Amino acid sequence: MEKSSSKRNQRTSPNRTRLEYRSIDIVNVCDNTRVHRPSPVPSVYDAELLVPLYLSESSDSPVIGLLRPVVLDQLVLENQRSRELGLQELWALNVVEATYIPRKNKSIGPSVSFHSWVDTHIKRTAAMKELCERWRDTLVFEDVCGPKKWRAELYPIYTDPLGIHDYPNDAITNQALNFVFEIERSACALFGFITYGVHMSIYEEVEVDDKKSLKVWVPTRARTKQTFPGLLDNTVAGGIPSGMSIFESMVKECMEEASIPDHVVRKYARTVGAISYFYRTPKGWLQPEVEYVYDIRMPHDVDSKIFEPRPLDGEVESFELLTCTQVVQKIRAGLFKPNCALVLIDLFIRLGYITPETEPDYMKIITRLHGTFDLERW
């Protein structure tokens, strides 16, 4: 798959210059941030002091997010607003040296948490709902959660972001949950919350005379989508909404995006792992992401038409069955949504189309595809 040893192989045509991306370049696009240490891709935002957001004021509270200075300044104003309105302050702001408190396994420094009265998932969800909707309506952080960016979809936040995906059951009392609250999807980047998605590749692989060939179903994203309009995507992909399991999210997306029936997905889809990376947007917003990965390998003895995706909900313009060579060419040309290109690189590694012999950055790519967001540094 890889032939260039330069950071990007530049080809010149009579009409234009095109940058050709290697696999490691795609990794660098998505996994471009580190916490309190140099980032893989230097950024003007590297000098920002990121303040940890804890769940509670307790010294053993888990850290659940990271706050940029501009967000911290807004939280100071929020507490001021609460005092003026005679309301309880939402945020415990320990951001000047006199207010620093020791945290579990952490050196003493600035920190923010919910105040002690915000002590249940119901209270936290309600407080964040009021805050984010008011920010939307007053155009605070308009480029992140303003009316044009608002998704009207709730994402879950967990005590342990690498732990179980659970959800409250109203029929059970005193549940010990990893889930701690839910929040509007678009606002997650303001607080550095880790978010989760599902991605699936539907492919066929044949072997003739000991030579394998691969074809993958690839959609073109609708030109009307808020993010990455018109780029290529994975066969099926979407976020995991709060209250829905990982696999059920995959089943839902398969029907909504690709018209693939429930029973087909349940019978043929296989969990094959996950990728994770820490992305910082060009405007500095923090988007650590986990994508759970699924495959459907089309069996040779089953009618391939049942796996053929068709647009349904308007998020996809069309689907095309592309050869491995065609997919690689389009990845190199930057025509894929970057994190979807990562999922395909992961597929090619798992199926043996990218090997240590053909890819000089093989181990770098594999380790970077499975990052843990520098959580120990938060």
Side-chain angles (χ1 to χ4, degrees), residues 57-252:
E57 296 180 80
S58 170
S59 61
D60 61 354
S61 169
V63 59
I64 57 174
L66 289 171
L67 302 175
R68 298 179 61 195
V70 65
V71 178
L72 181 58
D73 291 345
Q74 184 62 37
L75 298 189
V76 172
L77 295 177
E78 291 297 326
N79 275 4
Q80 179 182 325
R81 175 183 180 275
S82 296
R83 292 192 298 271
E84 292 171 352
L85 295 175
L87 303 173
Q88 290 178 293
E89 295 180 4
L90 179 58
W91 305 105
L93 303 171
N94 304 296
V95 293
V96 296
E97 190 169 356
T99 64
Y100 290 172
I101 60 175
R103 295 288 187 176
K104 183 179 180 180
N105 299 327
K106 303 285 182 178
S107 59
I108 296 176
S111 65
V112 175
S113 71
F114 289 104
H115 260 305
S116 57
W117 68 269
V118 195
D119 56 358
T120 68
H121 69 82
I122 294 174
K123 292 178 182 178
R124 296 183 203 107
T125 295
M128 296 302 279
K129 179 178 186 293
E130 188 281 329
L131 179 72
C132 293
E133 290 180 352
R134 180 160 45 80
W135 283 359
R136 174 197 64 193
D137 296 341
T138 56
L139 306 184
V140 176
F141 305 120
E142 182 180 8
D143 63 321
V144 181
C145 62
K148 293 183 179 180
K149 299 292 185 178
W150 194 261
R151 305 297 288 269
E153 182 178 359
L154 294 176
Y155 268 9
I157 308 302
Y158 299 107
T159 298
D160 177 2
L162 304 182
I164 188 171
H165 289 231
D166 54 17
Y167 192 75
N169 184 335
D170 293 339
I172 302 175
T173 58
N174 299 320
Q175 300 172 79
L177 293 172
N178 193 30
F179 173 91
V180 289
F181 64 93
E182 53 197 8
I183 183 175
E184 155 63 27
R185 174 176 177 171
S186 64
C188 289
L190 295 174
F191 298 92
F193 293 144
I194 296 172
T195 62
Y196 308 86
V198 287
H199 289 241
M200 184 165 72
S201 298
I202 299 180
Y203 66 90
E204 65 176 14
E205 190 176 35
V206 297
E207 186 170 343
V208 178
D209 297 329
D210 295 325
K211 184 176 182 180
K212 294 191 299 182
S213 64
L214 177 71
K215 291 183 179 179
V216 184
W217 279 108
V218 174
T220 299
R221 295 165 65 87
R223 296 322 198 260
T224 56
K225 284 190 70 69
Q226 284 189 7
T227 57
F228 303 98
L231 290 187
L232 303 178
D233 208 311
N234 297 128
T235 313
V236 176
I240 301 175
S242 189
M244 185 172 288
S245 73
I246 299 167
F247 184 69
E248 291 304 318
S249 298
M250 186 77 265
V251 172
K252 175 181 75 74

Side-chain angles (χ1 to χ4, degrees), residues 28 30-35 37-41 46 50 278-281 285-286 368 373-374:
N28 283 333
C30 295
D31 185 45
N32 63 0
T33 298
R34 296 294 179 266
V35 179
R37 64 188 178 108
S39 294
V41 180
D46 285 347
L50 301 177
F278 201 150
Y279 176 60
R280 193 163 197 168
T281 75
W285 302 114
L286 301 167
R368 295 275 298 282
F373 316 114
D374 280 343

